Amino acid sequence: MTARALINAPKTARKGDIIEIRAMIAHKMETGYRQGPNGQMIPRDIINRFVCTYGGAEIFSADLFPAVSANPFIAFSTVATESGTITFAWTGDDGQTQTATAEIAVN
Amino acid sequence: MVWRKPGLAVFAIIFGGGAMAEIAGEEKKSGSGFMSRETQAMQADDTSNPGMFSVLDGERLWREPVGPAMKSCASCHGDAEVSMRGAAARHPAFDETSGKAIDLAGRIKLCRRDKQTAEPFPRGSEELLALTTYVGTQSRGMPVAPPVDERLTPSRENGKRLFEARIGQLDLSCASCHDDNWDKRLGGSPITQAHPTGYPIYRLEWQSVGSLQRRMRNCMVGVRAEPYEFGSQEFIDLEAYLNTRASGLAVETPGVRP
């Protein structure tokens, strides 16, 4: 499934450069601790796992918990090694994974 | 009498003295100018401003054909970047049909109901917020330009009257905070001059985008007053007045607030 996500990654970099990557996904991150207007608990529904791969290899991952805000924003850095695809994958409590990609040209 | 309420001691300290005064030209400052560096940075970068999701949703709705004639907003208005540039800066505007001031969200509601003859979006719905944010952001960077229109005078005057009237159990007016104490803080939050330049905003406390009316309702509940209804003429009049105070400041939609 294609994510509703905003990605900020450089389109070009020099080999060996340290690059910053930022990714934000639209998600309500329902904690499971809130009550709806009818007094019923609203079931938990969060993104619990984020994985980023670069040229097929995992370069960053994170587990997310109910205390993370809506629309989780994750920033990290890596070293530009080769031209290729950076893939972002967010997995929710429902087991569904949403993905987004960014291309980078390294010279 | 008033001293029975523990919270009031705080107000007494903050609001000791201070004469009612409108904010002069040079001191006029957008709400974002009072925010922390982190909040400002979040607003300034379109890939870290969560309000941009609402903009993207609005863009999709703009192009979605609906109603019996299957018309989209774009069918009539074309490219929003061209046709909607400045629309937010000149609202609230005078609506010929109703003979009253109308805010941007109200105008969008009307187009949806009358021009598309589609199911109207309620105030506060994600869809109406998204379209308002999308249309609003087309004016980003433009100065707030309240229309030169005599017919808006009664609305603005009523807005000013409401802004200066004491309300609620705490017996404070909007002006008690936003005119007389805008340079101070309340429970850690900067009070600000109440300029409506970034609306709809993404508010971290709400974990979502919300309207100016929702913000104003929060302030009213804060002074333990009965808030006006969403879409009420009182709120539109208040906004019409707020826009004259904010005249010349840049539109920043979508703003980010704590």
Side-chain angles (χ1 to χ4, degrees):
Chain A
M1 196 163 44
T2 308
R4 274 173 71 225
L6 292 166
I7 307 293
N8 188 339
K11 289 196 171 45
T12 58
R14 257 195 307 225
K15 201 173 170 73
D17 276 358
I18 295 174
I19 53 169
E20 197 190 23
I21 295 172
R22 299 186 230 160
M24 177 167 60
I25 184 168
H27 199 282
K28 56 184 188 290
M29 297 293 281
E30 190 58 60
T31 61
Y33 300 123
R34 295 197 314 151
Q35 284 182 359
N38 55 3
Q40 297 266 324
M41 296 308 280
I42 305 171
R44 182 180 128 157
D45 176 15
I46 68 166
I47 298 277
N48 57 47
R49 178 94 181 138
F50 170 75
V51 177
C52 176
T53 59
Y54 176 13
E58 182 174 315
I59 54 163
F60 181 90
S61 70
D63 291 328
L64 284 77
F65 295 92
V68 175
S69 74
N71 309 314
F73 174 86
I74 296 175
F76 54 93
S77 53
T78 190
V79 177
T81 50
E82 56 179 22
S83 297
T85 306
I86 305 173
T87 304
F88 306 85
W90 294 264
T91 305
D93 281 344
D94 57 3
Q96 298 271 352
T97 297
Q98 307 182 54
T99 57
T101 57
E103 298 299 324
I104 182 165
V106 175
N107 46 49
Chain B
M1 295 299 284
V2 161
W3 294 100
R4 273 182 295 143
K5 301 242 162 39
L8 280 173
V10 181
F11 286 107
I13 295 161
I14 299 177
F15 300 133
M20 194 81 89
E22 271 191 55
I23 300 146
E26 274 174 23
E27 289 188 318
K28 194 147 93 176
K29 186 162 126 184
S30 151
S32 58
F34 293 87
M35 298 298 129
S36 69
R37 286 220 325 267
E38 291 76 11
T39 309
Q40 288 175 348
M42 199 177 195
Q43 175 175 318
D45 175 356
D46 283 351
T47 57
S48 73
N49 182 339
M52 291 312 290
F53 287 125
S54 200
V55 170
L56 294 175
D57 290 345
E59 187 177 10
R60 184 178 49 73
L61 289 166
W62 179 264
R63 286 191 254 111
E64 186 177 271
V66 289
M70 288 304 273
K71 279 205 158 86
S72 69
C73 315
S75 314
C76 292
H77 293 292
D79 182 356
E81 283 180 28
V82 180
S83 64
M84 290 294 132
R85 184 132 179 87
R90 60 177 166 266
H91 274 80
F94 187 77
D95 176 45
E96 305 274 353
T97 317
S98 64
K100 287 184 184 149
I102 190 169
D103 65 336
L104 186 63
R107 163 64 67 206
I108 293 171
K109 265 180 76 121
L110 280 188
C111 270
R112 169 115 183 147
R113 194 193 67 190
D114 301 343
K115 311 271 197 240
Q116 292 180 305
T117 47
E119 181 84 26
F121 291 133
R123 289 262 173 189
S125 64
E126 271 179 37
E127 291 88 351
L128 185 60
L129 280 167
L131 274 170
T132 312
T133 313
Y134 177 61
V135 171
T137 204
Q138 308 307 331
S139 298
R140 197 149 62 155
M142 292 177 79
V144 171
V148 183
D149 188 338
E150 284 290 311
R151 297 169 301 175
L152 287 169
T153 308
S155 182
R156 287 169 181 155
E157 280 177 352
N158 192 43
K160 184 174 197 300
R161 185 184 63 77
L162 295 172
F163 195 82
E164 290 171 355
R166 287 176 177 272
I167 51 170
Q169 286 180 317
L170 299 192
D171 199 29
L172 291 167
S173 69
C174 317
S176 313
C177 287
H178 294 297
D179 277 348
D180 300 346
N181 289 285
W182 56 263
D183 54 346
K184 300 191 183 64
R185 291 178 161 261
L186 185 58
S189 306
I191 290 175
T192 84
Q193 300 170 357
H195 294 307
T197 46
Y199 285 78
I201 55 160
Y202 188 90
R203 192 163 182 224
L204 300 174
E205 188 186 309
W206 296 333
Q207 298 272 289
S208 69
V209 164
S211 65
L212 177 64
Q213 299 195 356
R214 183 169 177 194
R215 172 66 257 185
M216 293 195 281
R217 281 173 66 94
N218 280 188
C219 281
M220 296 185 77
V221 170
V223 295
R224 301 186 197 152
E226 182 75 44
Y228 309 126
E229 288 301 320
F230 281 108
S232 63
Q233 197 59 42
E234 282 92 344
F235 273 144
I236 292 167
D237 292 350
L238 268 170
E239 183 177 349
Y241 172 60
L242 290 182
N243 257 28
T244 60
R245 293 167 86 248
S247 172
L249 292 176
V251 175
E252 297 176 21
T253 309
V256 176
R257 296 289 182 272

